[in-house]
Amino acid sequence: MRVPSGESELVRAGAAGDPAALAALWEAYGARVFAFCRRVLVPGEAAADAAQDAFLLAHARLGSLARTGESFGV
């Protein structure tokens, strides 16, 4: 997976509520998260819901990621 350049800046901006940063993180990782969910949860709608839930949980943890410097992609 290609990590977006400036991922740590995107995480900090997303934690601060920047919608463009959140969109960039989704653009970088959304398809891969959805593909994983689709493998685990065969129906497309359930996979889409799970991918959305994963990003909502990740969004809630962006502040922690920004403080620790952990990768969003992990």
Side-chain angles (χ1 to χ4, degrees):
M1 170 190 332
R2 183 184 171 284
V3 175
S5 62
E7 180 186 84
S8 60
E9 291 84 13
L10 289 175
V11 168
R12 282 194 296 276
D18 180 351
L22 297 172
L25 289 168
W26 173 258
E27 185 68 28
Y29 297 106
R32 196 163 180 114
V33 170
F34 177 71
F36 172 79
C37 292
R38 185 113 193 238
R39 281 192 301 274
V40 175
L41 305 166
V42 176
E45 190 172 312
D49 288 345
Q52 180 179 355
D53 288 348
F55 267 84
L56 289 172
L57 289 170
H59 179 260
R61 303 272 306 157
L62 282 178
S64 174
L65 288 176
R67 284 189 299 281
T68 62
E70 290 182 66
S71 170
F72 182 84
V74 172

